[in-house]
Amino acid sequence: MTITPELSVAPDEPMAEPRKSRKNNPEKTRENILQEAIVEFVQQGLSGARVDAIAERIHTSKRMIYYYFGSKEQLYIEVLEKLYGDIRSTENRLHLAELAPVEAIRRLVEFTFDHHDRNVDFVRIVSIENIHNAEFVKRSDAIKAMNNTILDSLGVILRRGAEEGVFRAGLDPLDVHLLISSFCFYRVSNRHTFGEIFQIDLPDESIKQRHREMICESVLRYLQA
């Protein structure tokens, strides 16, 4: 696939600095741009997304967006960083280290299931990035660093579980993370095709709760085998 990103403004169009005023809030402006950029990238993909369309949504100029992010590609990278950062920062507030190993795993699985179910945009953006062979994830040291935190947390839980005799020894945190993510991600990323082929309404609340519990039990059985 050929990527044709919109790059920074042309040399004959100097970047406009935001006008200084008491109402100017750079962080809020950046956040507004990122939120609308998520919508645009989810709907149009990276190649089809237009900075003009993002600017129109928040009633600003294309040049203002370039002032804050430099290029469409950099804006897309920061969208990835925001979405990955949101899930990792929320995981850090689960206080998993304070829970017994089995309960910690159950809480992590339930959180991952609920996060993916409620944040379809995250699933779609990750799917889009996979279409691009993780080209833009490769450019972000921040994404790699923030995602190591879940492996560290899982490693502690698995070691405690093995010491207490509730989990088998030698479990790889990356394998367990992959298992949890696979279960939770697939049912959202493929909900339309899977639902149509097998005539099942995956968003239905009773089906969703059944799958949530099934995934928890499946992960725990793997750890306890």
Side-chain angles (χ1 to χ4, degrees):
M1 178 181 295
T2 301
I3 304 172
T4 55
E6 295 176 42
L7 300 177
S8 55
V9 291
D12 58 346
E13 293 185 33
M15 253 179 244
E17 268 195 49
R19 287 181 296 178
K20 307 293 183 184
S21 76
R22 284 178 293 182
K23 293 183 179 180
N24 184 255
N25 186 334
E27 288 307 311
K28 187 174 187 303
T29 300
R30 284 178 58 86
E31 181 64 20
N32 289 342
I33 294 170
L34 283 170
Q35 291 293 346
E36 293 303 330
I38 291 171
V39 175
E40 180 70 7
F41 288 127
V42 164
Q43 292 179 351
Q44 306 298 333
L46 173 59
S47 300
R50 295 172 52 250
V51 175
D52 282 330
I54 299 168
E56 288 170 10
R57 284 197 182 96
I58 54 176
H59 308 293
T60 190
S61 67
K62 181 176 176 179
R63 291 168 65 188
M64 181 68 76
I65 294 175
Y66 283 132
Y67 171 79
Y68 281 105
F69 295 96
S71 70
K72 186 175 81 168
E73 287 183 324
Q74 185 57 37
L75 175 57
Y76 173 72
I77 289 170
E78 295 203 32
V79 162
L80 287 169
E81 291 176 348
K82 172 178 171 52
L83 293 175
Y84 275 109
D86 286 347
I87 186 172
R88 299 285 90 97
S89 64
T90 308
E91 281 171 347
N92 291 336
R93 296 196 294 272
L94 296 177
H95 304 293
L96 299 177
E98 301 171 14
L99 301 174
V102 170
E103 185 57 33
I105 291 296
R106 181 174 290 277
R107 177 174 289 188
L108 178 61
V109 172
E110 290 175 346
F111 163 75
T112 306
F113 183 98
D114 292 342
H115 177 276
H116 288 11
D117 184 72
R118 296 168 184 166
N119 295 274
V120 177
D121 287 351
F122 170 76
V123 174
R124 289 177 176 168
I125 288 287
V126 172
S127 297
I128 289 168
E129 179 60 5
N130 275 282
I131 290 172
H132 294 282
N133 301 311
E135 177 182 346
F136 298 93
V137 165
K138 292 173 187 174
R139 303 185 192 183
S140 173
D141 292 333
I143 291 176
K144 299 183 187 76
M146 70 178 68
N147 279 280
N148 283 332
T149 61
I150 186 57
L151 298 185
D152 294 339
S153 180
L154 265 173
V156 171
I157 296 168
L158 296 175
R159 282 194 297 274
R160 286 199 291 122
E163 290 166 2
E164 295 176 21
V166 294
F167 296 155
R168 55 194 172 92
L171 290 162
D172 186 333
L174 183 59
D175 291 343
V176 178
H177 178 56
L178 176 63
L179 181 64
I180 296 170
S181 296
S182 300
F183 274 133
C184 298
F185 192 92
Y186 180 88
R187 67 175 304 281
V188 179
S189 66
N190 290 53
R191 65 169 49 167
H192 298 294
T193 51
F194 193 90
E196 183 59 34
I197 290 168
F198 297 104
Q199 290 298 290
I200 182 172
D201 182 13
L202 289 174
D204 178 83
E205 197 61 33
S206 62
I207 294 173
K208 185 163 52 180
Q209 290 307 313
R210 188 174 79 239
H211 288 173
R212 191 173 186 259
E213 183 60 26
M214 178 190 71
I215 292 169
C216 282
E217 294 306 318
S218 296
V219 172
L220 287 171
R221 279 199 298 272
Y222 171 76
L223 301 183
Q224 296 165 339

